[in-house]
Amino acid sequence: DDSVALGMLAFVYQFTDTGKALHWCEEALKRDPEFELPWRIMLVIAYERREWKKFLQVSSEMLRMFPEEDYIYRLKGQYLIMHGKYEEARVLLEQAIALHHSAINYAVHAYTLALTGKHDASRDSETTALREEPENIEVLLYTGWAADRRGEHKQAVERMNAAVRLDPDNKQSRTEYLEMLQKSYWFYRILLLPRFVTRLKRWQLLLLWFIAFVLFKPLILLLILLHVLSYWTSKWLVHLKVFGFRRSPSQRGK
């Protein structure tokens, strides 16, 4: 009947068995509905599983009960970034920073500002984040994405390289590092989708594609061919630069 003990069980199981973790979260909350730890675990699990309906329900409830906890605002801001709502995300990130001047809050804020075109402010937040925690992988990833969004490809590669050096086994860091290296080739960057396209809704993108295909069919086909060639050429050059003529670790592990 001890809610704290049950919450700690949930905390342990979240790293090995999320089903059991959620079970013990429910048991802990039956004893103490306002115990923060199980709520936090449920929020993180919903975020990592991309169960957005559940995530929004839990985050709304938590903002009501724990309005002073910065991580709730940050995670909801990250959710909004994924869904293209950059201005709303920026507001939440600024609320998170007001509650706690943590490196990760500043790092995500830097990325959000870069997405909204506020590049000077983005660099300021990035500088603060890296000054506070220069060896935090999550901070390095977000500041790397921010630099990439600002068109600062050298800095983006440096951030991702630092993340890989900190944890060579981190799959996300390795993937992001290779992608940033690929973007460092001008012929690949020039054929990437324009920035405004990434803000379009799905139906708008499909309509734009249909109109462009009808009006400029030969040109569109040529651009597709060039993009495919530039993608695989730059990918091969990155592989050669990082692994030489050997297979990558992920390929050897298959």
Side-chain angles (χ1 to χ4, degrees):
D1 290 329
D2 188 335
S3 62
V4 175
L6 297 173
M8 290 307 298
L9 270 175
F11 177 79
V12 171
Y13 274 117
Q14 72 173 316
F15 303 106
T16 56
D17 189 331
T18 54
K20 288 184 178 179
L22 291 173
H23 168 74
W24 292 116
C25 283
E26 292 173 2
E27 292 299 316
L29 291 174
K30 285 179 184 177
R31 277 76 173 178
D32 183 359
E34 295 187 358
F35 182 23
E36 183 199 346
L37 179 61
W39 281 107
R40 181 171 187 161
I41 293 168
M42 290 194 300
L43 183 71
V44 171
I45 289 175
Y47 179 85
E48 291 178 345
R49 287 181 170 184
R50 303 297 192 260
E51 295 175 350
W52 299 129
K53 184 177 180 180
K54 179 69 173 177
F55 174 82
L56 290 174
Q57 290 173 345
V58 174
S59 61
S60 295
E61 192 67 18
M62 290 185 74
L63 286 172
R64 181 184 64 82
M65 291 190 295
F66 316 111
E68 73 287 352
E69 296 296 336
D70 67 291
Y71 68 88
I72 309 171
Y73 298 89
R74 185 183 71 249
L75 280 176
K76 193 166 183 180
Q78 290 172 214
Y79 158 81
L80 291 170
I81 290 172
M82 290 182 189
H83 291 78
K85 300 178 180 179
Y86 305 137
E87 283 295 340
E88 294 178 46
R90 180 185 60 79
V91 172
L92 286 178
L93 265 298
E94 287 171 1
Q95 288 178 279
I97 288 172
L99 289 166
H100 183 38
H101 298 285
S102 70
I104 185 57
N105 285 346
Y106 276 108
V108 183
H109 186 236
Y111 181 45
T112 309
L113 290 169
L115 288 168
T116 55
K118 299 176 176 64
H119 291 177
D120 290 337
S122 174
R123 292 186 191 94
D124 290 341
S125 284
E126 179 181 302
T127 300
T128 302
L130 292 171
R131 183 176 64 244
E132 294 296 321
E133 292 189 43
E135 295 187 348
N136 181 315
I137 290 177
E138 196 172 5
V139 167
L140 289 167
L141 287 175
Y142 272 100
T143 54
W145 291 329
D148 175 58
R149 192 70 185 192
R150 296 192 304 264
E152 299 165 359
H153 303 292
K154 181 180 178 181
Q155 289 88 339
V157 170
E158 289 174 353
R159 304 277 185 275
M160 299 309 176
N161 186 23
V164 171
R165 289 177 180 277
L166 284 172
D167 185 2
D169 296 326
N170 187 303
K171 184 178 179 181
Q172 184 181 17
S173 299
R174 294 201 313 269
T175 300
E176 293 295 335
Y177 175 53
L178 294 175
E179 287 184 3
M180 291 302 172
L181 279 177
Q182 191 172 359
K183 285 184 180 180
S184 66
Y185 293 101
W186 66 268
F187 60 84
Y188 176 65
R189 288 201 308 273
I190 202 170
L191 289 169
L192 290 174
L193 289 175
R195 294 297 188 188
F196 80 91
V197 173
T198 61
R199 298 191 181 192
L200 294 178
K201 296 179 180 178
R202 187 173 298 177
W203 69 268
Q204 293 172 322
L205 189 59
L206 288 173
L207 180 61
L208 180 64
W209 171 259
F210 177 76
I211 294 171
F213 187 79
V214 171
L215 297 178
F216 310 105
K217 185 175 180 179
L219 181 59
I220 292 294
L221 293 174
L222 177 61
L223 287 173
I224 291 173
L225 177 62
L226 288 173
H227 179 75
V228 171
L229 287 173
S230 68
Y231 174 81
W232 286 108
T233 301
S234 57
K235 194 173 183 67
W236 179 79
L237 289 171
V238 167
H239 182 94
L240 192 63
K241 182 176 182 178
V242 176
F243 304 109
F245 289 98
R246 297 175 290 106
R247 298 175 68 186
S248 68
S250 59
Q251 290 176 318
R252 292 198 296 269
K254 288 183 180 179

